[in-house]
Amino acid sequence: MAGVGPHPAVADVRRAVREALADIGEGRLVLAACSGGADSLALAAALGFVAPRRGLRAGLLSVDHGLQPGSAARATEVAALAPALGLGFGEVLTVTVGTAGGPEAAARDARYQALAAAADRLGADAVLLGHTRDDQAETVLLGLARGSGLRSLSGMAPAAGRYRRPLLDLPRNVTVAACRALELAFWDDPHNADPRYTRVRVRSRVLPVLEQELGPGVAEALARTSKLARDDADALDEWAGTVFRDCALSDTGGQVTLAVQGLERAPGAVRRRVLRRAAIAAGAPSGALSAAHVLAVERLITHWHGQKALDLPGGLAAVRRYGTLILAISPIA
């Protein structure tokens, strides 16, 4: 029938992708990371529709983590879908998953490293990821359970560097409906139902109980909370940047010196951000620098009684001397 548009779910996904690519110039390359699941397959199909209408080049990347029998064949099959989806090419990225941080974190690290390397090699402006509103809700809930700070509760960013997540405002059932409307056979990863993984337990057990006991809309509310938390975290980070610049007496490789007086005047949430930034600038590995470390350094400001130097990750030390806070690779001269 003339005038009949695409299925509403297909239209929603296409609109989300189109909006995510609004700032990318004609002729540039955009890549879709696709596992063959409903979320990433709907995303790749939408990119294949939107890209040529925006004058963009587009391709598909499928990562083989090597964690399941037949994973290489699966990744090859997904990459081969590229022409049918309207994408210029498909490529398989084979990775070796380590053990650091547990299986979920190790697989994620390997995947992002491979995607970044491919984007660099191919000269891509953006890599699209298929995370949905449900994924965002799970991320926020995990952050709450771990007692994480505001930045963690803000969840996944819609855009972070070259990575873009067009589907964060759409629920997972929309991507499933889009695939069915387009007659795309999507793959259900067995790992997505394996209760050994924390996120799977949140998805299959915790969120359903919350929906049952509190009523529908919990996932949407958690995703909305992430947006509010992100706005607050961004504002606090900007404030902390100003305080850091005002308090920094020196900032050289291996040592940062801050004026205590300025840190004393700052609100705690801002001061702790400044201290974390200073420690990382001085050489502390960000992944190893915990909230407990930052709180210990803060006590040199708020509860000063002549303490000795504190040891921090990366061979760093923090010490207060003559109205300054020094963070440097130990021993501090």
Side-chain angles (χ1 to χ4, degrees), residues 187-203:
W187 179 55
D188 286 321
D189 187 345
H191 281 177
N192 289 335
D194 190 338
R196 291 179 300 173
Y197 298 102
T198 305
R199 186 175 287 272
V200 171
R201 295 196 297 274
V202 169
R203 179 181 307 153

Side-chain angles (χ1 to χ4, degrees), residues 118-176:
D120 286 341
R121 172 170 49 83
L122 296 168
D125 276 27
V127 177
L128 305 188
L129 306 174
H131 299 111
T132 65
R133 189 173 71 192
D134 299 78
D135 296 308
Q136 186 75 298
E138 294 159 11
T139 300
V140 174
L141 198 55
L142 285 167
L144 285 169
R146 292 165 179 162
S148 301
L150 190 62
R151 179 56 69 187
S152 179
L153 298 185
S154 62
M156 295 176 285
R162 60 161 58 92
Y163 299 111
R164 304 192 181 194
R165 299 179 173 91
L167 309 184
L168 280 184
D169 287 332
L170 298 179
R172 186 171 290 131
N173 58 23
V174 167
T175 65
V176 172

